[in-house]
Amino acid sequence: MLSLVEAFIGFFSIIRFRISKFGFRILSRRWAMRTASFVLIAAAAFAAPAFSADAPTGVTNIFRPLSTPAQAIREVSLLVLAICAGIFLVVGGLLAYTIVRFRWRPGDEGHEPPQIYGSNQLEFAWTVIPIVTVFVLFLATARTIYDVQSAIPPADALNVTVVGHQWWWEIRYPDLGIVTANELHVPMSGPDKARPTFLKLESADVVHSFWVPQLAGKTDVIPNRENRMWIEPTQSGTYVGNCAEYCGMQHAHMLLRVIVHSPGDFEKWTAAQQQPPVDDPQARAGRDVFFATACINCHTVGETKARGTFGPDLTHLMSRETLGAGTVPNTAEKLRAWVRDPQTIKEGCNMPNMQLTDDELNQIVAYLLSLK
Ligand code: CUA
């Protein structure tokens, strides 16, 4: 493919375009070849990861959907790409033909080519063909939008409410009594049993956008409004997504993980999340410091007096893979750095430096590490 395009560009640069009146040579062959090769190699290097990954844990590949609505979107986008490629070939081909066929030749000085005005056939063709094309694209797109948006949740669908915050995702399972953050756990759908997840999207502050490319299209998350979408993944694994609407300073650190479990594993995860928080006697000192500071104004730890809702629920904090919505891995060392001063890790985030002493810091971190 690459060499084909290179040959195509090379062919036209040999012609050495000249605009007769100005005697102006636009391209030299060698320059054109070098530039074209450089652009193509650079494009291939950037595009390669998008086409090479095939596992959900690899680089997110928008051309490899693994969920029902994403599959439907892929089909309509391939149709659009095919039609646009056809138009490009026709227009590009006619342009190339004209440039070659009617190029300047010696002896062309001093007279104009024949001037033609008005052609009913031509005008009819370039009015009707685009209208028909746009109409076909409109119908195909409208049908897919309708199919995706009108899906009715089956009785055993999983219902999840996702709330966008600056800059993290609150994830609530109202029917299961689970609250977590930044990691959406859902069951997988198999050929024998569909188990879709229906999401209600809300925002606590500004406009965000929920996007996990391999699972579904983007849906905006808008304050004072409830948007809905659904996913039906057909392969287990971790799918990476991101906030797709600029929402402030740390918009880029508002990552989202969707962990798709085989049915048995999902039940296990649910059961673990429904447990009350671990009460480790060795972490009690830290718990008392935690309860005595402003931490509890923003964070909830289930069944305790910590009932804040500005920040992520910490009941099972250590079951999550990352801190700060994908900013750093959730390890003891990073957790300590985060609690000491979150601003060094995620500048501008709403969690302040609590000015803890080293002792308080150690105790609080020991308590948080016990929240498995
Ligand atoms: Cu939230 Cu960008």
Side-chain angles (χ1 to χ4, degrees), residues 15-326:
I15 295 165
R16 296 212 215 150
F17 298 114
R18 274 173 291 194
I19 296 172
S20 58
K21 287 225 162 123
F22 310 100
F24 176 49
R25 211 165 71 187
I26 297 175
L27 293 173
S28 87
R29 181 170 177 262
R30 185 180 287 181
W31 179 86
M33 284 302 279
R34 277 191 194 155
T35 312
S37 308
F38 174 77
V39 169
L40 286 168
I41 289 164
F46 281 111
F51 292 92
S52 62
D54 52 347
T57 39
V59 177
T60 296
N61 181 349
I62 57 169
F63 291 101
R64 190 169 184 275
L66 292 166
S67 167
T68 308
Q71 184 67 38
I73 293 165
R74 176 180 182 265
E75 277 155 21
V76 78
S77 58
L78 286 183
L79 175 74
V80 173
L81 278 175
I83 291 178
C84 292
I87 295 172
F88 173 77
L89 287 178
V90 170
V91 174
L94 285 174
L95 181 65
Y97 171 78
T98 313
I99 289 172
V100 176
R101 174 79 177 72
F102 301 105
R103 68 186 185 279
W104 178 86
R105 289 192 173 88
D108 278 352
E109 287 94 350
H111 61 87
E112 280 189 328
Q115 304 295 301
I116 300 159
Y117 299 99
S119 162
N120 285 340
Q121 290 100 315
L122 260 184
E123 283 170 23
F124 186 73
W126 72 48
T127 308
V128 170
I129 295 172
I131 288 175
V132 171
T133 311
V134 170
F135 193 64
V136 168
L137 291 174
F138 168 76
L139 284 184
T141 311
R143 197 181 70 174
T144 303
I145 292 174
Y146 178 79
D147 284 350
V148 171
Q149 290 192 342
S150 65
I152 295 161
D156 61 349
L158 178 66
N159 291 302
V160 182
T161 302
V162 177
V163 186
H165 292 257
Q166 282 177 317
W167 290 278
W168 60 284
W169 301 96
E170 176 184 342
I171 295 168
R172 315 184 78 94
Y173 297 75
D175 308 332
L176 302 175
I178 296 171
V179 181
T180 183
N182 305 319
E183 291 173 16
L184 172 61
H185 291 252
V186 300
M188 184 183 102
S189 286
D192 47 332
K193 186 158 167 50
R195 193 82 203 280
T197 300
F198 280 73
L199 304 172
K200 204 195 279 180
L201 303 174
E202 297 169 3
S203 169
D205 36 49
V206 299
V207 179
H208 305 272
S209 181
F210 184 99
W211 192 33
V212 185
Q214 284 185 290
L215 298 182
K218 287 175 196 168
T219 306
D220 274 0
V221 181
I222 300 168
N224 299 317
R225 194 189 149 89
E226 201 183 276
N227 277 347
R228 287 170 183 274
M229 65 180 289
W230 59 284
I231 54 174
E232 194 186 47
T234 50
Q235 193 175 313
S236 59
T238 299
Y239 296 77
V240 183
N242 205 349
C243 176
E245 180 79 42
Y246 183 71
C247 55
M249 190 172 175
Q250 289 290 351
H251 155 72
H253 284 145
M254 194 168 164
L255 267 61
L256 183 66
R257 273 157 204 269
V258 179
I259 294 115
V260 178
H261 295 279
S262 60
D265 285 354
F266 182 69
E267 265 61 64
K268 269 185 230 157
W269 178 82
T270 307
Q273 293 288 312
Q274 285 170 333
Q275 294 298 310
V278 174
D279 183 13
D280 180 350
Q282 298 198 314
R284 291 234 173 99
R287 190 186 65 179
D288 294 343
V289 180
F290 183 83
F291 287 167
T293 60
C295 306
I296 59 171
N297 294 341
C298 294
H299 294 286
T300 294
V301 178
E303 297 180 16
T304 71
K305 62 180 175 180
R307 303 221 160 269
T309 53
F310 287 115
D313 186 297
L314 302 178
T315 312
H316 297 287
L317 170 68
M318 296 315 292
S319 71
R320 304 202 282 259
E321 291 172 36
T322 70
L323 289 173

